[in-house]
Amino acid sequence: MKYYIIAGEASGDLHGSNLMKSLFEEDPQSEIRFWGGDLMERVGGTLVKHYRELAFMGFAEVIQNLGTILRNISICKKDIEAFAPDAIIFIDYPGFNMRIAKWAKKKGIPTHYYISPQIWAWKENRIKAIKRDVDHMYVILPFEKDFYEKKHGFPVQFVGHPLIDAVAQYRATADPQFRERHQLDDRPIIALLPGSRKQEITRLLSEMLTVVPNFANFQFVIAGAPSQDFDFYRQFLVNKNVVFISNETYGLLNVAYAALVTSGTATLETALFKVPQVVLYKASPISYQIAKRIITLKFISLVNLIMDREVVKELVQNDCNKKRIHEEFTKIIQDQGRTKMLQNYDILIDKLGGEGASKLTAQLINKNL
């Protein structure tokens, strides 16, 4: 079989790599071309474009880079036609992928969507395009099945969350010398996860670092994104109590005592590693004002959305400041706050189901061809 996979972000690269492993297990002779990242490239197949060329954050940034986005869509269509795949597999990244899905449907190419666009958060009217252009949808959040089937009459398959697989796989082979290899001392480690895009890193890492001077008994470590060079982070490394480690977020979370985390997939990863966290979000003023008017969710973190209640504290926009971060960080390093959060993490993991999301998805894709 020939598969064409499109993942446009770091999280999509992770899930895409595990899906590719399972597709190759199902059919070792598979041919795969993909848009993704380093993790997918290590599995095999042919990388067409790296996600670092695709990731634009916020409404304003997307508008500023519209020309580049449109050129990439054109390149993608031409490459798919030349490859003539048996199926296209979309991984999240809806602004781009839904445009390709519409085109592919007209061309008669089977369309499979793994990790649904978050239309339950905003742009719910995308359901019309999904019903029209997506042949098979594989969802990873428990509430998404009811959303699609009961609310919109669109059959989907719940496969469980692939992060459970990713975390379990990492822990099975975790480096026991992580601390020594990175010359970390014996103090409890605080992981700083500021995201993967330059805009969000710039806004949020400076806020995260405001807690450092007040907590000398902890060692703070920045999780560097694989999409950014060290030179970009150099401006933030002025405090001697801050260490930088690139492209080893799981290794860092595996030894972390607590974390400050940018909203997104990282909030769930942090929970699966059972690390107490405070979630931060700050967008450009224009992007935030637009988002506030069209997104009606009670929460911004996956942890709270899945649990449908506040498990981790979210500091959004104006609340994302030195004073509030200090207050909430203090709570998660104290016994009472930690114990309650860790108990809630256990409930969260039960809701997400067991391991095997990638394998099940690969099997269903082959079955549905």
Side-chain angles (χ1 to χ4, degrees), residues 207-233:
E207 299 287 359
M208 292 177 177
L209 291 171
T210 61
V211 303
V212 176
N214 299 313
F215 295 93
N217 292 332
F218 295 90
Q219 187 163 41
F220 292 82
V221 182
I222 298 169
S227 56
Q228 306 300 336
D229 295 328
F230 173 72
D231 284 344
F232 170 69
Y233 290 96

Side-chain angles (χ1 to χ4, degrees), residues 74-95:
S74 178
I75 291 168
C76 187
K77 289 177 180 178
K78 290 176 182 176
D79 194 60
I80 291 170
E81 279 198 298
F83 184 56
D86 295 295
I88 302 177
I89 303 168
F90 304 105
I91 302 180
D92 200 3
Y93 199 51

Side-chain angles (χ1 to χ4, degrees), residues 194-206 222-225 227-237 244:
S196 60
R197 299 160 174 148
K198 283 186 177 179
Q199 298 99 323
E200 64 183 344
I201 295 169
T202 300
R203 291 190 189 102
L204 289 166
L205 187 50
S206 296
I222 298 169
S227 56
Q228 306 300 336
D229 295 328
F230 173 72
D231 284 344
F232 170 69
Y233 290 96
R234 196 186 302 274
Q235 61 188 302
F236 303 104
L237 299 173
F244 175 81

Side-chain angles (χ1 to χ4, degrees), residues 89-110:
I89 303 168
F90 304 105
I91 302 180
D92 200 3
Y93 199 51
F96 188 95
N97 277 334
M98 287 307 301
R99 286 174 171 82
I100 301 298
K102 181 178 180 180
W103 169 85
K105 186 70 173 180
K106 291 178 180 177
K107 292 285 183 178
I109 305 171

Side-chain angles (χ1 to χ4, degrees), residues 9-225:
E9 297 174 303
S11 60
D13 180 35
L14 171 64
H15 302 321
S17 68
N18 286 325
L19 178 62
M20 286 171 63
K21 290 174 188 174
S22 294
L23 287 170
F24 281 128
E25 287 173 3
E26 291 290 309
D27 178 10
Q29 303 306 312
S30 294
E31 295 180 52
I32 302 177
R33 285 180 72 82
F34 61 91
W35 293 45
D38 299 341
L39 297 176
M40 295 172 74
E41 191 170 25
R42 287 176 201 154
V43 176
T46 303
L47 174 65
V48 180
K49 260 191 183 294
H50 199 286
Y51 68 77
R52 71 169 65 97
E53 300 179 54
L54 310 175
F56 302 107
M57 179 186 179
F59 303 97
E61 290 82 2
V62 168
I63 292 171
Q64 291 167 5
N65 292 279
L66 190 58
T68 300
I69 294 169
L70 292 175
R71 282 193 296 275
N72 284 334
I73 289 172
S74 178
I75 291 168
C76 187
K77 289 177 180 178
K78 290 176 182 176
D79 194 60
I80 291 170
E81 279 198 298
F83 184 56
D86 295 295
I88 302 177
I89 303 168
F90 304 105
I91 302 180
D92 200 3
Y93 199 51
F96 188 95
N97 277 334
M98 287 307 301
R99 286 174 171 82
I100 301 298
K102 181 178 180 180
W103 169 85
K105 186 70 173 180
K106 291 178 180 177
K107 292 285 183 178
I109 305 171
T111 54
H112 298 252
Y113 219 122
Y114 177 44
I115 306 178
S116 162
Q118 295 178 352
I119 65 171
W120 37 265
W122 69 301
K123 289 194 175 181
E124 190 169 343
N125 62 348
R126 273 183 170 156
I127 186 63
K128 297 176 184 176
I130 287 172
K131 284 184 169 183
R132 182 190 66 218
D133 301 328
V134 175
D135 295 319
H136 303 280
M137 175 74 77
Y138 312 98
V139 301
I140 63 173
L141 297 172
F143 61 80
E144 288 179 319
K145 187 170 178 64
D146 282 349
F147 172 83
Y148 275 109
E149 295 187 344
K150 292 184 179 179
K151 187 172 183 180
H152 292 290
F154 181 65
V156 300
Q157 290 165 301
F158 174 64
V159 294
H161 206 293
L163 280 182
I164 293 178
D165 291 342
V167 171
Q169 288 167 14
Y170 177 82
R171 281 181 160 164
T173 58
D175 178 8
Q177 304 301 317
F178 182 88
R179 278 179 175 267
E180 291 82 357
R181 183 160 51 86
H182 291 290
Q183 299 180 336
L184 301 173
D185 58 38
D186 293 333
R187 289 174 296 169
I189 291 170
I190 307 302
L192 305 179
L193 278 60
S196 60
R197 299 160 174 148
K198 283 186 177 179
Q199 298 99 323
E200 64 183 344
I201 295 169
T202 300
R203 291 190 189 102
L204 289 166
L205 187 50
S206 296
E207 299 287 359
M208 292 177 177
L209 291 171
T210 61
V211 303
V212 176
N214 299 313
F215 295 93
N217 292 332
F218 295 90
Q219 187 163 41
F220 292 82
V221 182
I222 298 169

